[in-house]
Amino acid sequence: MNSRLSIAAVSAVSLVALLGGTTVATAQTAQESDPAPKSCDGVRLTGELPAPAPGQAVSGQITIGADCKPERVSVQHGPASARSARTATAAGSATTAAAGHQLRGWNEMYDCCNIRMTGLYTASSWDTANGRVTTGGTTATQEWNREPWDAGWSLTSQNAKDDCVTDCAEVNSEAHADFAYKGVFDPTGDWYDNTHHSYVQLKADGTTSCRFDVELRHTFVGWNWRYGCE
């Protein structure tokens, strides 16, 4: 976060991802009264990804550019991580009556120095039989960066829910987390605030979809949002 960078006005931007993912970014107008403000103004980013095949991962990334406008999203496809594979193996060995489906999601904000500031993570599992989700649900966890002098980001609120967990046509899960910052880049605690939202739909045919939102009270050139599921 380099306060010497100047700000250009931010207008609403629509971004369409390649390879099946979509991201929409809407930004407020930047404040230009300060010749060297600490950051760009607020932005909301939304991303939706196609369901990856078992053992595969899909992810998106969008960066706040030098003119304070969100740059075009980059969507990547590849193999799932070792962490996801271990989770699937453990869950699959727990029962022989159903194949067991698992999905891991991440929703993270990084600063211009590639330090993860805030993150919301989900882990979903569901079993299916006779065209129904017999059991299913999603758990959520949060992580955030602290500075050595007892400052930095803090979790201020979080919640998660499933609309159905037993004998469901489908399971719609959502998780939310709000983070505030008070530290070397803003001692007041009133400038930066990141709110993450993650949505997962678990279907009876074993497929799924992932959708993510993040709302930033202020941003900074070089900040980047990373999200995905596997």
Side-chain angles (χ1 to χ4, degrees):
M1 292 186 281
N2 187 334
S3 62
R4 291 175 293 180
L5 292 173
S6 61
I7 277 189
V10 177
S11 59
V13 180
S14 295
L15 302 169
V16 179
L18 300 175
L19 303 175
T22 60
T23 293
V24 175
T26 56
Q28 303 168 9
T29 301
Q31 299 296 325
E32 297 180 284
S33 57
D34 185 343
K38 288 186 288 187
S39 70
C40 308
D41 214 345
V43 68
R44 176 174 179 168
L45 307 173
T46 298
E48 185 169 359
L49 296 170
Q56 296 296 303
V58 59
S59 61
Q61 179 171 327
I62 184 170
T63 301
I64 303 301
D67 57 359
C68 285
K69 293 181 180 180
E71 295 179 346
R72 190 176 183 87
V73 67
S74 170
V75 174
Q76 301 293 326
H77 296 257
S81 67
R83 175 180 176 181
S84 180
R86 289 195 300 270
T87 301
T89 300
S93 63
T95 176
T96 58
H101 307 282
Q102 296 82 36
L103 184 76
R104 188 176 73 89
W106 58 95
N107 182 343
E108 303 173 311
M109 280 305 306
Y110 285 77
D111 70 10
C112 53
C113 298
N114 206 35
I115 295 172
R116 185 194 57 187
M117 299 179 289
T118 55
L120 172 62
Y121 307 89
T122 57
S124 306
S125 62
W126 71 110
D127 289 323
T128 61
N130 303 317
R132 304 282 291 179
V133 177
T134 55
T135 59
T138 299
T139 59
T141 56
Q142 309 80 30
E143 296 183 14
W144 55 96
N145 184 60
R146 296 293 292 169
E147 294 168 357
W149 37 88
D150 193 26
W153 289 94
S154 299
L155 178 68
T156 57
S157 68
Q158 61 83 24
N159 63 81
K161 65 179 182 179
D162 306 303
D163 67 349
C164 181
V165 295
T166 305
D167 190 23
C168 313
E170 63 185 25
V171 178
N172 294 285
S173 305
E174 59 182 79
H176 312 275
D178 189 73
F179 304 88
Y181 176 86
K182 184 176 183 179
V184 65
F185 296 103
D186 173 37
T188 70
D190 296 329
W191 195 252
Y192 297 110
D193 186 283
N194 295 352
T195 301
H196 295 255
H197 311 279
S198 295
Y199 305 89
V200 180
Q201 186 179 65
L202 312 175
K203 301 178 181 179
D205 64 1
T207 62
T208 183
S209 63
C210 313
R211 181 166 60 87
F212 310 92
D213 294 330
V214 66
E215 300 171 53
L216 312 173
R217 181 184 295 168
H218 293 91
T219 63
F220 202 89
V221 171
W223 281 22
N224 59 94
W225 181 44
R226 305 177 192 179
Y227 59 93
C229 51
E230 60 185 12

